[in-house]
């Protein structure tokens, strides 16, 4: 049994912490009664956790972790209390500092230290080293093999502007489209086809604009929810490139090996697999 697009949308709102506490309570009850929704939620959560773990910046990793349902409500209260405490402490600190005169000598010393700090502590560019022992230039390979798929020949009128811009090399309009909202528009019969098409092309667009996390999420959605074998094969090709861009050689190789007999990308797949042997 598949979940509805409306249920999928609420799962995304929950994971993005866009629900009130009352909505979370109701959502938790619904999850207990619907194992399919719970399974989809766990799947979406696992994808986010997996992608977050691949980032080299630990601050980005921490910002994308989702708290369990019960702990999240508890932390809302703790965060609110902490905010009040910090505000009171800040007011007290600045009032006390305002009433304490600063000696002239101290002011001069402070100015000297600040000038020295600016000279001795330049801002250095952050360098992320390549994997030790790896001869593969991942960025170069991605640029060599990545090419956005052509826009579909037919699509719903509501997608016309987005695909017109897409064909011009402008991806922002497509990236901002809400697939679920469009699919639920009155009068649209083939909602599943719209969802599959939008998630697939949004994945490609995000790859092109260097938003790898969103690219992976959208392409994984196609593999999880589509029954169209051709579309899934195409999504797998771009998913392999997304992992290549993330320097995840083992996952990219695994996907490429599954695609080795698929005619559309057979030549590119064989060449890439040969590169991995070097």
């Amino acid at each position: 049994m598949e979940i509805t697009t409306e249920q999928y949308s609420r799962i995304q709102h929950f994971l993005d912490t866009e629900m009130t506490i009352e909505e979370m309570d109701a959502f938790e009850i619904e999850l207990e009664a619907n194992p399919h929704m719970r399974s989809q939620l766990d799947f979406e959560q696992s994808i986010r956790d997996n992608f977050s773990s691949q980032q080299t910046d630990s601050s980005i990793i921490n910002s994308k972790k989702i708290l369990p349902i019960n702990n999240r409500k508890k932390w809302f209260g703790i965060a609110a209390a902490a905010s009040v405490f910090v505000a009171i402490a800040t007011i007290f600190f600045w009032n006390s500092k305002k009433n304490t005169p600063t000696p002239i000598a101290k002011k001069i010393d402070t100015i000297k230290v600040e000038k020295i700090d600016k000279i001795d502590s330049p801002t250095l560019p952050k360098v992320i080293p390549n994997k030790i022992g790896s001869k593969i230039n991942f960025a170069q390979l991605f640029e060599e093999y990545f090419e956005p798929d052509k826009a579909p020949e037919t699509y719903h009128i509501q997608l016309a502007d987005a695909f017109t811009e897409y064909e011009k090399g402008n991806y922002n309009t497509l990236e901002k489209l809400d697939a679920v909202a469009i699919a639920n528009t009155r009068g649209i019969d083939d909602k599943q086809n719209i969802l599959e098409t939008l998630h697939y092309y949004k994945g490609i667009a995000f790859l092109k604009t260097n938003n790898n996390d969103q690219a992976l999420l959208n392409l994984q959605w196609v593999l999880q929810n589509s029954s169209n074998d051709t579309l899934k094969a195409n999504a797998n090709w771009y998913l392999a490139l997304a992992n290549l861009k993330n320097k995840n050689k083992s996952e990219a190789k695994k996907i490429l090996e599954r695609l080795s007999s698929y005619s559309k990308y057979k030549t590119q797949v064989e060449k890439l697999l040969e590169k991995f042997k070097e």
Side-chain angles (χ1 to χ4, degrees):
M1 177 180 178
E2 295 183 358
I3 65 171
T4 66
T5 53
E6 187 273 334
Q7 289 172 329
Y8 179 80
S9 176
R10 284 192 289 115
I11 287 174
Q12 296 302 317
H13 287 316
F14 170 76
L15 291 175
D16 292 334
T17 62
E18 295 176 351
M19 287 183 173
T20 64
I21 293 179
E22 291 76 12
E23 289 173 336
M24 288 170 60
D25 289 336
F27 185 74
E28 183 178 357
I29 294 172
E30 185 174 359
L31 286 175
E32 293 177 356
N34 190 331
H36 297 285
M37 283 187 66
R38 164 59 70 180
S39 176
Q40 185 68 29
L41 173 68
D42 293 341
F43 172 76
E44 299 289 339
Q45 178 67 75
S46 68
I47 290 176
R48 295 190 180 204
D49 290 342
N50 182 48
F51 299 153
S52 296
S53 67
Q54 295 177 7
Q55 300 298 317
T56 56
D57 192 336
S58 61
S59 64
I60 297 177
I61 295 175
N62 294 331
S63 69
K64 295 190 176 191
K65 288 185 178 177
I66 306 298
L67 288 172
I69 295 172
N70 294 331
N71 289 342
R72 197 175 308 180
K73 291 183 284 184
K74 180 175 72 177
W75 280 104
F76 283 159
I78 295 175
S83 298
V84 173
F85 175 79
V86 170
I88 294 174
T90 302
I91 294 171
F92 177 80
F93 171 77
W94 284 109
N95 283 341
S96 61
K97 186 175 181 180
K98 183 178 180 181
N99 295 329
T100 304
T102 303
I104 295 176
K106 186 175 181 180
K107 288 183 179 179
I108 295 174
D109 291 340
T110 301
I111 294 172
K112 289 181 180 179
V113 171
E114 287 177 353
K115 288 184 177 179
I116 293 172
D117 285 344
K118 289 180 181 178
I119 295 172
D120 295 340
S121 303
T123 302
L124 299 175
K126 190 171 184 179
V127 178
I128 302 175
N130 290 328
K131 292 183 178 179
I132 297 175
S134 175
K135 297 180 180 180
I136 298 176
N137 188 327
F138 293 96
Q140 181 178 329
L141 279 180
F142 175 82
E143 292 297 330
E144 181 180 349
Y145 285 91
F146 174 75
E147 182 179 351
D149 202 352
K150 294 181 180 179
E153 294 181 0
T154 59
Y155 42 78
H156 193 274
I157 187 64
Q158 293 200 40
L159 310 182
D161 289 342
F163 280 120
T164 298
E165 292 298 311
Y166 176 88
E167 291 178 318
K168 295 177 181 178
N170 302 323
Y171 304 98
N172 189 253
T173 304
L174 180 61
E175 289 175 341
K176 290 182 178 180
L177 285 182
D178 186 333
V180 175
I182 292 176
N184 286 330
T185 303
R186 178 180 294 180
I188 294 181
D189 296 324
D190 197 356
K191 297 180 180 180
Q192 180 65 19
N193 182 57
I194 285 183
L195 284 172
E196 293 176 4
T197 300
L198 274 180
H199 280 294
Y200 172 68
Y201 281 98
K202 280 165 74 75
I204 296 173
F206 281 121
L207 258 184
K208 182 65 177 178
T209 57
N210 298 316
N211 191 336
N212 224 39
D213 285 351
Q214 285 299 318
L216 287 163
L217 282 173
N218 280 278
L219 293 170
Q220 285 283 11
W221 188 98
V222 175
L223 298 181
Q224 179 71 15
N225 296 279
S226 176
S227 57
N228 185 325
D229 291 337
T230 299
L231 187 66
K232 290 171 71 172
N234 293 344
N236 261 314
W237 166 249
Y238 287 104
L239 192 63
L241 293 180
N243 280 283
L244 186 67
K245 196 171 187 178
N246 266 359
K247 301 183 181 180
N248 190 343
K249 175 183 173 182
S250 60
E251 186 63 24
K253 183 179 178 182
K254 188 189 305 180
I255 298 171
L256 290 171
E257 287 172 344
R258 293 201 302 263
L259 282 173
S260 58
S261 60
Y262 182 60
S263 59
K264 182 175 180 180
Y265 297 110
K266 185 176 181 180
T267 302
Q268 295 97 315
V269 167
E270 289 176 350
K271 288 182 179 179
L272 263 178
L273 288 175
E274 283 299 318
K275 290 285 186 181
F276 287 169
K277 295 179 183 179
E278 296 177 358

